[in-house]
């Protein structure tokens, strides 16, 4: 059970969480300082395997020399491929570059790709691992909060197409996830806050006690230490359990998309740029999903206000007027939603809430009410 509001949460060191997927099952290891153990853990998991580290320029500057050192000292032979930082790299050209680098390194099927970075690196490296030699194992070493609690776990990999985000990809589970919570100390505060939206999401989906704990302890989560480890571990436990029951998103896994139908439309409207980071779009999306649920009479407006108040307290945007620059009108945002992967036979699919921690997937939401919510949100300054 989640720690009660205000109590200090004590986690094992390190925290070990198993994603139960039979022969594709794997461990998520969480704790401060785990980076230094990465070489030894990888060598233990795949004795004699070589590795290709895939990372971006920013993370390479911060963490690559140390990773090369810990791999070498554990006897893991490693090569590397580094690409420009940012969502713009999640494309066919960079995928080709990464695959060719893996092949040039003479990697065999028993070797490993090591994804060192945030969501872009993990998604791209994971997809390259999925399709090279018909599938190579890969290890996720997530360096952002968002990647530690979401994208590094669960095996969704891919790149963007000009038709939309993450439209080309595959399910390819990692063989190990090493989440060193101390690496997050180097994250810019805006990036940490954006990742926090996904942490809060787990409380909102199915764990009201965790949401209450976050309301009381979020400052400690931002500061680091035990509370941060607890927040990452609780998020990963929730995700691991859902993925273990519904790997391919035929049902329950869709709950992880809470806030994402609104969020993805806002990201598309802002060109997937620094105007609005993914997690910031999700904070707005979570707020709007609760507002929509309240307008549909599923939850009361006190719950909607509580969600917005907490996200605003940590410094996340909760009003559309906080998005810099112009946004499309409600019809324009609805049109962007219609292009999302979460559309089924033309109907809008939303994750809705009967209260905090009580969400469900509603496959047929009437566009009129969504438009009303968006109109109101666009007027609200
Ligand atoms: N980020 C949602 C999922 O992994 O299913």
């Amino acid at each position: 059970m989640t720690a009660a509001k205000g109590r200090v949460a004590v986690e094992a060191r390190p925290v070990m969480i198993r994603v139960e997927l039979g022969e594709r099952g794997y461990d998520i290891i969480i704790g401060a300082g785990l980076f230094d153990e990465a070489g030894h853990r990888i060598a233990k998991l795949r004795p004699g395997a070589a590795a290709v580290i895939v990372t971006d320029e920013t993370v390479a500057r911060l963490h690559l020399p140390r990773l090369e050192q810990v791999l070498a000292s554990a006897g893991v032979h490693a090569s590397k491929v580094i690409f420009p930082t940012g969502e713009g790299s999640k494309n066919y050209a960079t995928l080709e570059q990464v695959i060719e680098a893996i092949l040039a390194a003479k990697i065999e099927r028993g070797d490993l790709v090591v994804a060192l970075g945030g969501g872009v690196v993990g998604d791209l490296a994971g997809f390259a691992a999925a399709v090279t030699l018909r599938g190579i194992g890969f290890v996720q070493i997530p360096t952002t909060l968002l990647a530690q609690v979401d994208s590094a776990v669960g095996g969704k990999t891919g790149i963007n197409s000009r038709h939309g985000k993450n439209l080309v990809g595959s399910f390819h589970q990692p063989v190990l996830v090493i989440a060193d919570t101390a690496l997050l100390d180097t994250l810019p505060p805006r990036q940490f806050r954006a990742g926090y939206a996904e942490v809060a999401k787990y409380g909102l989906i199915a764990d009201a006690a965790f949401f209450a704990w976050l309301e009381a302890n979020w400052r400690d989560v931002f500061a680091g230490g035990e509370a941060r480890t607890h927040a990452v571990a609780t998020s990963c436990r929730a995700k691991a359990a859902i993925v273990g029951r519904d790997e391919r998103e035929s049902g329950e896994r869709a709950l992880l998309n809470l806030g994402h139908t609104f969020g993805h439309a806002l990201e598309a409207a802002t060109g997937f740029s620094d105007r609005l980071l993914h997690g910031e779009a999700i904070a707005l999306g979570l707020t709007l999903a609760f507002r929509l649920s309240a307008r549909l009479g599923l939850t009361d407006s006190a719950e909607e206000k509580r969600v917005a108040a907490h996200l605003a307290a940590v410094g996340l945007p909760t009003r559309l007027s906080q998005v810099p620059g112009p946004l499309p009108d409600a019809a324009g945002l609805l049109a962007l939603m219609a292009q999302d992967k979460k559309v089924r036979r033309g109907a809008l699919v939303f994750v809705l809430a009967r209260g905090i921690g009580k969400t469900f997937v509603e496959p047929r939401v009437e566009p009129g009410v969504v438009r009303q919510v968006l109109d109101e949100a666009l007027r609200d300054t």
Side-chain angles (χ1 to χ4, degrees):
M1 190 170 146
T2 306
K5 187 170 178 173
R7 280 223 323 260
V8 177
V10 181
E11 295 278 359
R13 288 180 198 201
V15 182
M16 305 279 287
I17 297 166
R18 184 84 187 155
V19 182
E20 299 287 359
L21 286 169
E23 61 182 17
R24 280 171 290 101
Y26 55 96
D27 290 327
I28 308 166
I29 315 176
I30 302 162
L34 283 177
F35 198 67
D36 291 332
E37 297 173 21
H40 137 80
R41 289 186 182 276
I42 288 170
K44 199 167 137 206
L45 184 75
R46 288 271 169 100
V52 181
I53 305 165
V54 180
T55 192
D56 67 28
E57 286 165 357
T58 308
V59 179
R61 249 190 332 271
L62 290 167
H63 305 301
L64 182 59
R66 215 164 111 226
L67 182 60
E68 289 183 304
Q69 204 178 14
V70 297
L71 288 173
S73 63
V76 179
H77 177 269
S79 44
K80 62 192 168 204
V81 50
I82 303 167
F83 56 78
T85 304
E87 190 72 28
S89 285
K90 226 170 124 177
N91 58 20
Y92 292 104
T94 315
L95 177 70
E96 180 181 356
Q97 187 198 330
V98 171
I99 291 171
E100 291 300 324
I102 295 171
L103 295 171
K106 306 258 182 295
I107 285 299
E108 298 170 6
R109 275 177 117 181
D111 294 330
L112 292 166
V113 168
V114 177
L116 173 70
V120 169
V121 169
D123 286 7
L124 179 61
F127 189 41
V131 297
T132 307
L133 305 178
R134 297 210 176 91
I136 314 171
F138 84 113
V139 174
Q140 289 270 22
I141 306 185
T143 58
T144 64
L145 179 59
L146 190 128
Q148 292 193 353
V149 300
D150 185 26
S151 58
V153 173
K156 282 189 180 173
T157 71
I159 57 168
N160 303 329
S161 140
R162 66 172 178 279
H163 295 285
K165 205 170 139 95
N166 296 331
L167 291 185
V168 179
S170 75
F171 286 97
H172 185 54
Q173 299 293 342
V175 294
L176 178 67
V177 181
I178 301 173
D180 182 343
T181 49
L183 292 186
L184 307 182
D185 291 342
T186 56
L187 262 193
R190 184 179 173 200
Q191 292 280 351
F192 191 94
R193 264 198 308 275
Y196 182 88
E198 298 279 3
V199 176
K201 183 189 77 174
Y202 291 103
L204 297 175
I205 289 174
D207 191 346
F210 180 49
F211 188 76
W213 182 87
L214 288 171
E215 288 178 305
N217 297 283
W218 67 268
R219 285 184 184 79
D220 294 338
V221 175
F222 278 62
E226 283 294 323
R228 181 186 292 169
T229 301
H230 177 64
V232 173
T234 305
S235 304
C236 286
R237 271 189 211 105
K239 182 152 187 185
I242 290 177
V243 169
R245 292 189 292 261
D246 179 24
E247 182 185 11
R248 298 271 170 147
E249 200 170 310
S250 47
E252 187 188 359
R253 184 165 180 168
L255 292 176
L256 297 173
N257 297 329
L258 176 64
H260 283 58
T261 306
F262 284 114
H264 279 173
L266 291 167
E267 279 186 279
T270 49
F272 298 99
S273 68
D274 277 1
R275 263 177 77 194
L276 191 66
L277 301 179
H278 174 71
E280 294 168 341
I282 295 315
L284 288 161
L286 294 171
T287 310
L288 290 168
F290 270 77
R291 187 177 287 190
L292 176 61
S293 302
R295 294 303 171 276
L296 290 167
L298 293 163
T299 185
D300 61 45
S301 62
E303 294 282 84
E304 173 201 338
K305 290 197 176 83
R306 196 176 147 201
V307 174
H310 178 55
L311 297 172
V314 310
L316 282 162
T318 54
R319 295 191 317 273
L320 294 184
S321 58
Q322 291 170 285
V323 180
L327 283 176
D329 61 10
L333 288 171
L334 262 176
L336 290 170
M337 283 178 195
Q339 285 168 11
D340 199 274
K341 284 203 290 323
K342 289 175 282 299
V343 171
R344 279 190 222 148
R345 297 207 179 91
L348 287 172
V349 181
F350 276 90
V351 182
L352 297 175
R354 294 199 173 87
I356 289 170
K358 295 183 203 148
T359 54
F360 64 99
V361 179
E362 175 52 66
R364 291 205 165 274
V365 173
E366 168 57 42
V369 64
V370 179
R371 192 179 169 144
Q372 235 178 327
V373 164
L374 285 169
D375 262 332
E376 189 189 309
L378 285 161
R379 279 198 309 270
D380 174 17
T381 49

